[in-house]
């Protein structure tokens, strides 16, 4: 028997059986189930299953926290007859639980999670690389104009700079659009011949129409708006254009229309939204000691309720624009409090199973910066831990 076979069978049973599961996917630590009826699931029973660290209902899905080996458990789940992976889920994602309308906020957080989460490990890796070479440059070991410095520096900042291309790809997957057409759209607005003519704050001209220019490097709002709208246009084309012509007509029409639209419309609109967010951010951070202290204390709770997927992209946008962002560092400090609690539980707790959970969760947090196993597997088990955090 596969070591995760019993675990998957117990989870499926507690969720109401195979017939109650529409589809399943996973993130870095959680299995995410779309259910036909959430009333048939037994949350308390699932949390008692050995190998389950916790549960959460959010973003229209029933989430079961497993840990960093979640992909192995997911693969085992797919061997159960009747279990459908996310890639095979029906097109209609507006109804995920027994035809219930998912709230706009849940849909927004799900979108943010789907679009941004694949890049979080790369951001962490790139951040380490840029930090190390920055330190070495300050110590005089290398110069900032050397190829060695620029090579490792690019690991982080190339991701930030070319965000429109990367986000176009994952956004298209979420909005059920052609990912490769979306990536070309992102690349088109980043093409040097176009980007060099789009100087932020100045006027640009396309088709004889003047509009405020927007430089798309490091941005994320315009490309998300563009891919969202293009996904509906693409589906309309597929219903309208004869099947024999779709191979050429659909991608050509999408690009010929949405590349200019992104430059002329979504760019300036995204700029207005970004400026509004920046204004609010500046107001909040006007008293950095107070705001950063609160953010550091509360960010782990923000993660617990899934709000981090709404907050983190905004912080990344500020980081890309300003070159620094204090909130990310302040929020990260909360992880040290979580880590300290889990290490204490690992050392002093008398429950052998809890010690093991705390140990593996601490390792995951210390190495990867993923706090969910600690939060759900340890912190939420005792209200004293929440108060101390």
């Amino acid at each position: 028997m596969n070591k995760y076979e019993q675990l998957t069978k117990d989870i499926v049973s507690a969720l109401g059986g195979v017939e109650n599961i529409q589809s399943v996917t996973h993130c870095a630590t959680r299995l995410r189930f779309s259910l036909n009826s959430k009333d048939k699931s037994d949350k308390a029973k699932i949390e008692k299953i050995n190998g389950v660290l916790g549960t959460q209902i959010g973003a229209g899905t029933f989430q079961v926290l497993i840990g960093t080996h979640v992909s192995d458990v997911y693969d085992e789940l797919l061997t159960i007859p009747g279990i459908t992976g996310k890639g095979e889920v029906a097109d209609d994602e507006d109804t995920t639980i027994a035809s219930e309308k998912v709230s706009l906020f849940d849909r927004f957080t799900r979108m943010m999670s789907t679009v941004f989460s694949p890049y979080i490990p790369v951001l962490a890796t790139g951040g380490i690389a840029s930090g190390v070479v920055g330190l070495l440059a300050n110590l005089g070991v290398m110069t900032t104009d050397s190829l060695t410095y620029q090579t490792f520096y690019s690991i982080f900042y190339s991701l930030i700079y070319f965000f429109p291309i990367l986000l176009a790809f994952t956004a298209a997957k979420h909005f059920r659009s052609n990912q490769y057409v979306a990536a070309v759209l992102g690349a088109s607005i980043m093409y040097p011949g176009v980007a060099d003519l789009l100087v932020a704050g100045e006027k640009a001209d396309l088709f004889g129409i003047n509009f405020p220019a927007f430089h798309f490097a490091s941005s994320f709002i315009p490309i998300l708006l563009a891919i969202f709208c293009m996904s509906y246009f693409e589906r309309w084309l597929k219903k309208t254009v004869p099947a024999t012509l779709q191979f050429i007509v659909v991608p050509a029409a999408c690009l010929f229309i949405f590349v200019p639209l992104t430059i002329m419309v979504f760019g300036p609109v995204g700029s207005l939204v970004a400026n509004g967010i920046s204004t609010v951010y500046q107001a909040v951070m006007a008293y950095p000691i107070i705001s950063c202290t609160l953010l550091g204390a509360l960010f782990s709770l923000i993660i617990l309720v899934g709000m981090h997927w709404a907050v983190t992209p905004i912080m990344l946008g500020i980081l890309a624009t300003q070159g620094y962002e204090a909130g990310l560092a302040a929020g990260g400090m909360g992880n040290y409090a979580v880590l300290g609690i889990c290490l204490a539980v690992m050392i002093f707790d008398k429950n052998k199973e809890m010690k093991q959970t705390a140990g593996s969760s601490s390792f995951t947090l210390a190495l990867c910066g993923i706090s969910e196993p600690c939060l759900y597997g340890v912190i939420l088990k005792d209200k004293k831990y929440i108060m101390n955090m």
Side-chain angles (χ1 to χ4, degrees):
M1 176 183 287
N2 185 291
K3 64 178 180 177
Y4 299 123
E5 184 176 343
Q6 190 60 49
L7 171 61
T8 55
K9 287 181 178 179
D10 291 343
I11 292 173
V12 169
S13 175
L15 286 172
V18 172
E19 62 277 4
N20 193 41
I21 299 174
Q22 286 185 5
S23 62
V24 60
T25 185
H26 72 89
C27 60
T29 57
R30 309 180 196 185
L31 294 169
R32 297 170 181 260
F33 293 90
S34 292
L35 304 179
N36 290 313
S37 174
K38 62 182 179 182
D39 295 330
K40 293 182 180 180
S41 61
D42 190 334
K43 190 172 183 287
K45 184 177 179 181
I46 294 174
E47 291 178 344
K48 293 178 181 178
I49 296 173
N50 186 30
V52 172
L53 300 179
T55 61
Q56 183 181 16
I57 298 175
T61 59
F62 192 107
Q63 301 170 16
V64 180
L65 183 66
I66 299 297
T68 52
H69 58 288
V70 66
S71 60
D72 296 327
V73 179
Y74 174 79
D75 290 340
E76 181 62 28
L77 262 175
L78 296 187
T79 65
I80 300 176
I83 296 294
T84 303
K86 180 66 174 177
E88 301 173 15
V89 72
D91 282 345
D92 184 12
E93 291 185 358
D94 289 335
T95 55
T96 54
I97 300 180
S99 301
E100 294 179 14
K101 267 298 186 190
V102 180
S103 70
L104 286 175
F105 179 75
D106 277 346
R107 292 171 66 182
F108 175 74
T109 54
R110 171 189 283 186
M111 182 271 290
M112 285 296 192
S113 174
T114 303
V115 172
F116 282 90
S117 61
Y119 305 115
I120 297 300
V122 188
L123 279 168
T125 302
I128 294 171
S130 63
V132 170
V133 294
L135 177 62
L136 293 176
N138 288 333
L139 293 175
V141 176
M142 63 177 69
T143 58
T144 56
D145 58 354
S146 67
L147 181 59
T148 302
Y149 178 91
Q150 292 298 330
T151 296
F152 287 95
Y153 184 82
S154 70
I155 294 174
F156 177 70
Y157 284 95
S158 62
L159 173 62
I160 295 293
Y161 186 85
F162 292 108
F163 241 172
I165 302 174
L166 299 168
L167 294 180
F169 190 79
T170 49
K173 181 178 180 180
H174 177 78
F175 294 125
R176 307 187 308 281
S177 183
N178 188 310
Q179 291 177 264
Y180 305 100
V181 172
V184 172
L185 192 161
S188 298
I189 61 177
M190 293 298 297
Y191 178 69
V194 173
D196 292 346
L197 296 175
L198 296 174
V199 180
E202 297 187 4
K203 292 289 184 180
D205 177 280
L206 184 60
F207 304 131
I209 302 173
N210 290 320
F211 59 93
F214 178 78
H215 198 279
F216 291 92
S218 308
S219 67
F220 69 94
I221 295 174
I223 197 66
L224 294 183
L225 292 173
I227 301 303
F228 172 73
C229 294
M230 190 180 76
S231 67
Y232 285 95
F233 180 68
E234 181 183 328
R235 286 196 285 276
W236 176 80
L237 285 174
K238 288 180 177 179
K239 293 178 182 178
T240 307
V241 177
T244 53
L245 299 177
Q246 287 185 11
F247 182 76
I248 296 295
V249 173
V250 173
C254 286
L255 290 173
F256 290 167
I257 292 174
F258 275 88
V259 170
L261 269 180
T262 303
I263 294 172
M264 298 173 64
V265 178
F266 300 123
V269 169
S271 176
L272 290 174
V273 175
N275 289 338
I277 292 172
S278 179
T279 300
V280 173
Y281 171 84
Q282 296 295 344
V284 171
M285 299 300 290
Y287 303 96
I289 294 178
I290 297 174
S291 56
C292 287
T293 300
L294 288 174
L295 194 57
L298 299 176
F299 200 76
S300 293
L301 298 178
I302 291 174
I303 294 173
L304 274 174
V305 298
M307 276 284 291
H308 57 302
W309 291 118
V311 175
T312 303
I314 295 173
M315 292 179 169
L316 291 175
I318 298 294
L319 172 64
T321 302
Q322 295 185 166
Y324 65 92
E325 203 290 310
L328 284 169
M333 294 302 292
N335 280 349
Y336 289 104
V338 174
L339 180 60
I341 293 171
C342 286
L343 289 175
V345 172
M346 181 186 71
I347 296 171
F348 299 109
D349 200 288
K350 297 179 180 179
N351 186 307
K352 184 178 179 181
E353 185 176 334
M354 181 60 74
K355 289 170 72 76
Q356 183 178 359
T357 300
S360 60
S361 299
S362 298
F363 179 79
T364 301
L365 176 56
L367 186 65
C368 307
I370 299 174
S371 60
E372 282 94 333
C374 287
L375 292 171
Y376 290 100
V378 179
I379 302 295
L380 285 183
K381 300 294 184 183
D382 194 320
K383 62 183 179 181
K384 292 184 296 184
Y385 301 154
I386 299 176
M387 296 299 295
N388 287 329
M389 180 178 69

